[in-house]
Amino acid sequence: MSSSTTPTLGLHKWIGTEKVSRAEIVDNFDKIDAEAALTRAEIENLRLLIARLDTGWGIADEINFRFPDNRGIFYDILDGQGGRVTAALDRALTYTTAALTAGATSIAVGDASGFAAGEEITIFDDENAENVAITAISGNTLTVTALTHAYKAKATVGRTTAVTDAVGARMVFPAWGTCDITVVEA
């Protein structure tokens, strides 16, 4: 009889002079086989998702790069249903006219005309970024859910962008960030 088990699968583990039983060996094989079946199913699901994404991205590349006048039409590659979806590039973007403190719920902006109550926006500067919901608009002042961070005057305010989460087959909202780009002339 084994006195211990492995940490991941709970396989029987014999130490020293412990006797190996046939039942424990069979139990080990059953556990390994069950785990292999789960892994095989997960691999097959990933293979199907990758095949679907490869096809979808190929279609999207055709539309977006070969036919730039497609007017935002692309094919839905995430839900497995196919079909055509129309999308428009949202250029709603402005800036804060004053510095903001953490906890603020009112944002004075240069131009609020591209925004509507109920939408999510992203506010960011060179130090912080967060997504908040617009609850009301009065002139060029956005009322939003409370800010978590403080922001400098001229912080950017834009409609929140979405990115594709291929694994979850959905659209998600990323954090804004910056990157460094090095250009080398050949």
Side-chain angles (χ1 to χ4, degrees):
M1 297 284 297
S2 65
S3 62
S4 64
T5 58
T6 60
T8 304
L9 294 179
L11 301 175
H12 297 280
K13 189 164 112 178
W14 301 273
I15 300 172
T17 60
E18 294 177 343
K19 291 188 178 188
V20 177
S21 85
R22 184 179 302 248
E24 290 174 327
I25 291 173
V26 170
D27 186 47
N28 280 357
F29 282 126
D30 288 344
K31 289 177 183 177
I32 291 169
D33 192 54
E35 189 65 26
L38 289 173
T39 302
R40 178 178 285 169
E42 289 174 9
I43 289 170
E44 180 60 16
N45 287 339
L46 289 172
R47 187 192 68 72
L48 292 171
L49 177 63
I50 289 168
R52 192 169 74 217
L53 288 173
D54 283 346
T55 300
W57 290 124
I59 293 168
D61 285 346
E62 279 292 312
I63 293 170
N64 291 328
F65 299 114
R66 293 186 185 225
F67 304 103
D69 62 343
N70 68 45
R71 292 186 171 83
I73 296 171
F74 66 96
Y75 286 85
D76 180 3
I77 60 173
L78 297 176
D79 65 3
Q81 304 301 312
R84 199 169 109 158
V85 178
T86 302
L89 180 60
D90 190 339
R91 298 185 188 276
L93 189 69
T94 190
Y95 59 91
T96 62
T97 58
L100 302 169
T101 59
T105 58
S106 181
I107 303 174
V109 295
D111 180 11
S113 64
F115 302 95
E119 293 177 337
E120 184 176 63
I121 57 170
T122 300
I123 180 169
F124 64 98
D125 60 17
D126 60 340
E127 294 179 13
N128 295 306
E130 66 187 281
N131 295 343
V132 293
I134 299 174
T135 57
I137 299 175
S138 177
N140 282 333
T141 301
L142 306 176
T143 302
V144 298
T145 52
L147 297 175
T148 305
H149 304 288
Y151 294 91
K152 300 172 184 172
K154 304 292 182 192
T156 302
V157 176
R159 179 116 55 251
T160 302
T161 58
V163 296
T164 304
D165 170 8
V167 174
R170 62 192 178 103
M171 300 299 279
V172 295
F173 298 102
W176 285 80
T178 59
C179 61
D180 295 323
I181 298 174
T182 303
V183 178
V184 179
E185 189 172 336

